[in-house]
């Protein structure tokens, strides 16, 4: 509990330091940017710490982090704190409510992690390796613990940001891991609540109603799952046979009568929600995660850690729609602070989760450009007057993060054209509520706004429907639906932006448009990686689509509710339920809106089943609560855990030789759980990070050669070149290189630590023992 409070205190203080700058970025928001301050603070403190350490000016230490946080707080409060103090009376209730949401989500998340704490299985060892190496490092760049002599690969900035509170409060790395997982969900939930509450409030909803819509945004993003869990439960109870559910192209369908009480008897049923689509529609394995699954699984992966950053940048993009003439006449210090903050956030996407660059940068660019168009100025004039302001954050982002690219290596990539499609039934199972609401709201808005649309807008809307129907009739229903929706929401966005005067309504359309567009991309093209398929493109773009559509969902629900009440949708001046009834919404649109909301409610309940049911199934409720991710390892491998503790205490900076195993195994456990650096970890993952370099297999072969013959001079000479200090012989080495591996090593090296099952030897180079 003490470590939880220490971690939380650091996060809160860093957020407080950045609050005045966040208020500059979100001046129209009811909370004056409080919802985004924690993320912004971590980004700015993280960037300053990162660049100072990369340049060798300061070490990557707790004092450096504290110093940069104090610097940020002093500058921001000294320059802009008056704005926060002046708006506090009006923003206080909203701020306290948002803080309650953050603490509630964080508290529940910590409890769930306490029963799922083990850093084992899937890619958790890999994720912990990155986080641990940054926490224990005193400087940057950090050496790859799984590949001695190489810098840390991959997009590692999310791990770096999560190392900040751990280093600043001296928290045990294996505890910090689970706190980082919980904090990611909590910050994502806070961002979703803040954005959807603000837009609902700006749309005219009263505070209480806006809070409900905000909670809807938080739950849609962080708590609701896809519909696979409902399918599993229904099928296991015999509701719908294999033929019926097979029409949805679902990969795993339990047999009827296999339920154990309410839930399926298969203890892994909860995992199937991340592998929904059957082959051959996504090869070799369709990864279909969503935020709560990522949280429950516990892999601290870049796509999950980027959740708060994505929410922050999406909010920034939307905030540009509210720019007015006063925004273009701000004093230079305000413009400079905003530009730097935006550049730090935009640039952070590259080393945090590069897959998000197209979505987040594209959305930011659209929002920035659209904000200029809201001034009723021709496009050419907007580009001439505001081009530098629109372009400067992107240029600054690349410049600020230039050190990340020094020595950067990656696998070779290309662009491929998709030949398979996600079946439309599977798409419905994957997105459920997040797909139904944009469809119904698009139709209702198109019908309701039809009399007010220009000729060109009517042509675009009608053409979109025709194109969608034609593509569906040609055997491409998924592409037809998504393409039609994309064009309709583009028309509605333009109409609301240019003619209706409703920035909040335009923001809703922008979120829906972007979400549908992101989901459409992997149906057309994919990034060709080492797998040669669209698997990773589907994985990452569907995840981004979930984020955008989850943020749009409650706002689309608000639009449908207003349509039922026959109120004009895109009005900032008409509070919900209080304005005059508008007769231009037809009975057809009202009936469609009512039906859509009813269906959405049922689907919401079906999606909400996942979180409690999956948590109950996966959680180790009998094992006792702990946030120490090494607790299970200590129980399962007490000798090796003791050897790891010895190594951490006696030779923490050693270079260690241990067995090279398969991916997703316990191989490289000494390099993972200590500050030590190993020769070779998971070869397949290094291949994904660095591309097919010959050294990967050469290292694997060399390690095997040495364990087979520790006296081999060539092997010893190569290992000496990597400055190896210690050699491990444990259960994994015996499994991999023979039961007599210790006898071989005893004749060649001197043991410095020994237990019944684990021995650590001192490596002596080319000479004898």
């Amino acid at each position: 509990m003490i470590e939880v409070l220490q971690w939380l205190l650091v996060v809160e203080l860093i957020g407080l330091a950045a609050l005045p700058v966040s208020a500059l970025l979100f001046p129209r928001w009811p909370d004056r940017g409080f919802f985004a301050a924690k993320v912004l603070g971590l980004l700015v403190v993280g960037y300053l710490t990162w660049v100072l350490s990369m340049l060798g000016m300061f070490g990557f230490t707790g004092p450096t982090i504290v110093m940069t946080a104090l610097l940020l707080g002093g500058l921001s409060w000294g320059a802009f704190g008056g704005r926060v103090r002046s708006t506090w009376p009006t923003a206080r209730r909203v701020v306290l409510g948002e803080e309650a949401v953050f603490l509630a989500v964080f508290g529940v998340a910590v409890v769930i992690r306490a029963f799922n704490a083990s850093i084992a299985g899937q890619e958790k060892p890999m994720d912990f390796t990155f986080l641990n190496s940054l926490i224990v490092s005193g400087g940057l760049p950090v050496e790859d613990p799984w590949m001695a002599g190489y810098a840390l690969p991959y997009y590692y900035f999310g791990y770096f940001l999560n190392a900040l509170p751990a280093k600043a409060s001296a928290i045990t790395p294996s505890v910090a891991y689970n706190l980082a997982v919980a904090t990611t969900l909590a910050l994502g939930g806070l961002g979703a609540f803040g954005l959807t509450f603000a837009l609902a409030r700006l749309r005219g909803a009263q505070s209480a109603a806006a809070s409900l819509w905000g909670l809807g945004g938080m739950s849609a993003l962080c708590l609701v799952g896809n519909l696979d869990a409902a399918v599993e439960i229904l099928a296991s109870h015999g509701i719908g046979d294999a033929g019926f559910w097979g029409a949805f192209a679902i990969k795993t369908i339990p047999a009827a009568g296999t339920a154990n009480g309410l839930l399926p008897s298969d203890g892994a049923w909860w995992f199937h929600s991340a592998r929904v689509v059957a082959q051959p529609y996504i090869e070799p394995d369709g990864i279909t995660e969503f935020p709560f699954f990522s949280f429950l699984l516990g892999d601290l992966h870049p796509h999950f850690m980027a959740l708060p950053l994505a929410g922050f940048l999406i909010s920034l993009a939307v905030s540009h729609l509210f720019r007015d003439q006063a925004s273009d006449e701000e004093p230079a210090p305000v413009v400079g602070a905003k530009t730097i903050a935006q550049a730090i956030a935009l640039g952070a996407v590259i080393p945090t989760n590069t897959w998000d660059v197209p979505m987040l940068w594209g959305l930011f660019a659209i929002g920035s450009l659209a904000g200029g168009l809201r001034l009723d100025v021709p496009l050419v004039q907007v580009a001439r007057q505001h081009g530098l302001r629109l372009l400067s954050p992107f240029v600054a982002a690349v410049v600020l993060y230039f050190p990340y690219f020094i020595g950067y290596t990656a696998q070779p990539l290309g662009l491929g054209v998709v030949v398979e499609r996600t079946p439309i039934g599977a798409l419905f199972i994957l997105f459920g509520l997040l797909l139904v609401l944009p469809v119904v709201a698009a139709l209702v808005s198109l019908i309701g706004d039809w009399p007010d649309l220009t000729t060109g807008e009517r042509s675009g809307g009608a053409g979109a429907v025709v194109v969608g129907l034609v593509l569906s009739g040609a055997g491409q229903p998924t592409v037809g639906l998504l393409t039609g929706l994309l064009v309709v929401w583009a028309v509605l966005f333009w109409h609301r932006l240019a003619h209706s005067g409703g920035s909040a309504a335009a923001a809703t359309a922008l979120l829906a448009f972007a979400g549908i567009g992101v989901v459409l991309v992997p149906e057309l093209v994919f990034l060709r990686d080492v797998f040669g398929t669209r698997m990773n493109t589907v994985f990452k773009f569907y995840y981004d689509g979930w984020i955008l559509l989850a943020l749009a969902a409650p706002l689309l629900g608000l639009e449908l509710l207003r349509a039922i009440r026959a109120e004009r949708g895109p009005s900032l001046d008409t509070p919900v339920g209080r304005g005059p009834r508008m007769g231009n919404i037809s009975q057809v649109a009202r009936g469609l809106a009512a039906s859509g909301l009813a269906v959405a409610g049922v689907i919401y309940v079906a999606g909400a089943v996942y979180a409690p049911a999956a948590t109950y199934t996966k959680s180790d409720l009998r094992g006792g609560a702990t946030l120490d991710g090494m607790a299970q390892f200590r129980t399962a491998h007490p000798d090796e855990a003791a050897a790891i503790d010895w190594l951490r205490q006696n030779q923490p900076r050693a270079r260690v030789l241990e067995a090279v195993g398969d991916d997703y195994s316990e191989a490289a456990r000494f390099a993972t759980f200590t500050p030590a650096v190993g020769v070779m970890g998971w070869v397949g993952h290094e291949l994904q990070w660095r591309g097919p370099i010959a050294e990967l297999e050469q290292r694997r072969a060399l390690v095997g050669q040495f364990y087979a013959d520790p006296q081999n001079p060539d092997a010893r000479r190569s290992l000496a070149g990597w400055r190896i200090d210690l050699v491990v012989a444990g259960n994994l080495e015996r499994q991999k290189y023979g039961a007599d591996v210790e006898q071989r090593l005893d004749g060649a090296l001197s043991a410095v630590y020994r237990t019944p099952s684990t021995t650590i030897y001192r490596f002596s180079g080319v000479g004898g023992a």
Side-chain angles (χ1 to χ4, degrees):
M1 180 57 71
I2 294 298
E3 290 186 305
V4 173
L5 294 177
Q6 289 175 324
W7 175 283
L8 189 60
L9 180 62
V10 172
V11 173
E12 293 284 5
L13 291 177
I14 288 177
L16 186 62
L19 180 56
V21 179
S22 189
L24 297 180
L25 296 173
F26 301 98
R28 294 285 302 276
W29 260 225
D31 69 345
R32 301 305 189 271
F34 176 82
F35 81 103
K38 293 181 179 65
V39 176
L40 178 61
L42 288 169
L43 287 170
V44 176
V45 171
Y47 176 78
L48 291 174
T49 304
W50 177 75
V51 75
L52 290 173
S53 299
M54 288 291 285
L55 294 175
M57 299 174 65
F58 292 93
F60 181 33
T61 64
T64 302
I65 296 166
V66 173
M67 178 192 70
T68 54
L70 291 173
L71 176 64
L72 170 64
L75 291 175
S76 64
W77 280 94
F80 312 114
R83 298 184 179 218
V84 176
R85 288 187 289 269
S86 65
T87 58
W88 172 250
T90 57
R92 182 180 66 250
R93 293 183 62 184
V94 179
V95 168
L96 294 177
E98 289 179 341
E99 183 64 16
V101 169
F102 170 73
L103 293 175
V105 177
F106 178 76
V108 171
V110 167
V111 171
I112 294 174
R113 292 311 311 161
F115 293 98
N116 295 271
S118 177
I119 302 173
Q122 293 297 305
E123 292 178 306
K124 283 180 278 296
M126 180 209 84
D127 294 318
F128 181 73
T129 299
F130 284 117
L131 180 64
N132 181 57
S133 65
L134 287 161
I135 292 175
V136 301
S137 174
L140 297 176
V142 174
E143 190 174 14
D144 183 355
W146 282 2
M147 197 166 177
Y150 282 75
L152 200 67
Y154 207 33
Y155 13 88
Y156 63 81
F157 202 66
Y159 303 99
F160 179 88
L161 295 179
N162 279 303
L164 299 179
K167 293 176 79 79
S169 53
I171 292 177
T172 306
S174 55
V175 174
Y177 181 92
N178 284 298
L179 290 176
V181 175
T183 303
T184 297
L185 189 73
L187 289 176
L190 174 61
F193 179 90
L195 173 62
T196 50
F197 172 87
L199 291 179
R201 190 76 182 90
L202 293 168
R203 194 73 185 271
Q206 298 300 304
S207 292
S211 296
L212 293 178
W213 296 115
L215 290 174
M218 183 274 290
S219 63
L221 180 66
C222 297
L223 300 181
V224 174
N226 62 38
L227 301 183
D228 185 73
V231 171
E232 295 258 351
I233 293 171
L234 293 174
S236 66
H237 284 275
I239 302 175
D241 56 19
F244 174 80
W245 295 117
F248 291 88
I250 299 173
K251 185 175 184 177
T252 305
I253 303 172
T258 57
N260 182 14
L262 176 64
L263 302 177
S265 58
D266 179 3
W269 72 265
W270 64 272
F271 188 82
H272 299 159
S273 289
R275 300 294 190 276
V276 171
V277 185
Q279 294 173 315
Y281 302 108
I282 305 176
E283 297 284 0
D285 192 16
I287 306 174
T288 52
E289 288 190 24
F290 46 88
F292 189 83
F293 173 88
S294 304
F295 161 75
L296 185 62
L297 180 68
D299 284 7
L300 196 61
H301 249 32
H303 70 275
F304 176 60
M305 289 187 292
L307 188 63
L309 175 59
F312 179 79
L313 281 170
I314 291 168
S315 298
L316 269 183
V318 167
S319 72
H320 287 142
L321 300 179
F322 296 88
R323 193 171 76 219
D324 51 26
Q325 190 67 37
S327 301
D328 297 310
E329 298 175 355
E330 293 171 330
V334 172
V335 174
K338 291 172 67 172
T339 300
I340 293 172
Q342 291 175 139
I344 288 175
L346 284 166
V349 181
I350 301 170
T352 299
N353 188 33
T354 313
W355 283 93
D356 285 346
V357 168
M359 183 266 282
L360 294 177
W361 283 33
L363 190 67
F364 188 90
I366 293 173
S368 298
L369 182 61
L373 294 176
R374 285 285 294 113
L375 301 175
D376 299 323
V377 178
L379 181 60
V380 175
Q381 189 173 343
V382 170
R384 185 171 60 252
Q385 292 181 347
H386 306 289
L388 181 60
R389 173 173 288 196
L390 298 179
L391 189 61
S392 57
F394 294 101
V395 175
V398 175
V399 173
L400 289 175
Y401 287 87
F402 181 76
Y404 172 73
F405 297 98
I406 298 175
Y408 177 84
T409 59
Q411 58 176 292
L413 300 171
L415 200 63
V417 177
V418 174
V419 294
E420 72 268 22
R421 300 279 186 268
T422 303
I424 197 165
L427 196 72
F428 170 72
I429 297 298
L430 288 176
F431 288 98
L433 174 78
L434 308 185
L435 183 64
V436 169
L437 280 174
V439 171
V440 177
L443 293 174
V444 170
S445 294
L446 201 59
I447 295 171
D449 292 345
W450 191 262
D452 300 326
L453 298 180
T454 65
T455 302
E457 291 166 351
R458 290 183 182 182
S459 300
V465 175
V466 171
V467 169
L469 292 174
V470 169
L471 287 172
S472 298
Q476 298 291 339
T478 300
V479 175
L481 173 66
L482 294 175
T483 302
L485 269 180
L486 184 70
V487 177
V488 168
W489 279 113
V491 169
L492 293 173
F493 174 57
W494 174 259
H495 172 70
R496 296 175 182 189
L497 192 68
H499 305 298
S500 70
S503 296
T508 302
L510 176 59
L511 292 173
F513 165 78
I516 294 299
V518 168
V519 175
L520 175 61
V521 168
E523 301 302 313
L524 304 176
V525 296
F526 69 97
L527 193 65
R528 192 183 301 277
D529 54 16
V530 294
F531 296 101
T533 71
R534 70 177 186 133
M535 178 182 71
N536 269 327
T537 305
V538 168
F539 175 18
K540 304 301 170 54
F541 276 73
Y542 278 11
Y543 205 85
D544 285 347
W546 184 286
I547 294 172
L548 287 162
L549 294 175
L551 295 173
L555 304 170
L556 296 172
L558 175 60
E559 289 198 358
L560 294 180
L561 180 61
R562 298 185 72 152
I564 294 171
R565 291 172 163 176
E567 296 169 355
R568 185 181 297 277
S571 172
L572 292 173
D573 303 320
T574 307
V576 173
R578 296 176 58 190
R581 299 290 171 178
M582 310 302 293
N584 67 330
I585 298 181
S586 69
Q587 291 298 318
V588 173
R590 295 176 67 185
L592 182 59
S595 301
L597 268 183
V599 171
V602 173
I603 296 174
Y604 177 87
V605 172
V609 165
Y610 182 84
T615 300
Y616 175 79
T617 298
K618 183 181 181 296
S619 299
D620 182 13
L621 299 177
R622 296 181 180 180
T626 179
L627 288 172
D628 183 3
M630 279 196 68
Q632 187 182 72
F633 184 88
R634 294 183 186 281
T635 301
H637 308 286
D639 273 6
E640 292 199 344
I644 285 172
D645 289 338
W646 178 89
L647 179 59
R648 186 187 297 114
Q649 294 166 9
N650 292 277
Q651 289 193 256
R653 300 297 175 184
R655 294 195 171 207
V656 177
L657 185 69
E658 55 185 317
V660 179
D662 298 327
D663 288 14
Y664 309 102
S665 71
E666 292 181 344
R669 71 273 195 211
F670 281 79
T672 295
F673 289 113
T674 72
V677 174
V679 173
M680 190 74 255
W682 292 0
V683 177
H685 278 64
E686 291 284 356
L687 172 67
Q688 294 179 50
W689 302 329
R690 305 183 187 279
I693 59 176
E695 190 171 347
L696 300 179
E697 287 302 328
Q698 290 172 358
R699 290 192 179 211
R700 188 209 299 263
L702 174 63
V703 173
Q705 182 184 34
F706 176 78
Y707 275 108
D709 180 12
Q711 301 283 12
N712 186 296
D714 292 334
R716 294 180 75 132
R717 188 175 297 107
S718 296
L719 293 176
W722 289 323
R723 306 194 311 277
I724 297 301
D725 301 300
L726 302 172
V727 177
V728 174
N731 292 327
L732 193 60
E733 284 71 29
R734 282 187 285 273
Q735 295 170 13
K736 191 78 176 177
Y737 306 115
D740 61 340
V741 68
E742 280 178 294
Q743 286 87 337
R744 283 180 250 137
L745 291 169
D746 281 337
L749 304 174
S750 299
V752 294
Y753 177 88
R754 194 186 296 271
T755 67
S757 66
T758 306
T759 304
I760 299 177
Y761 299 88
R762 183 170 305 284
F763 181 74
S764 55
V766 181

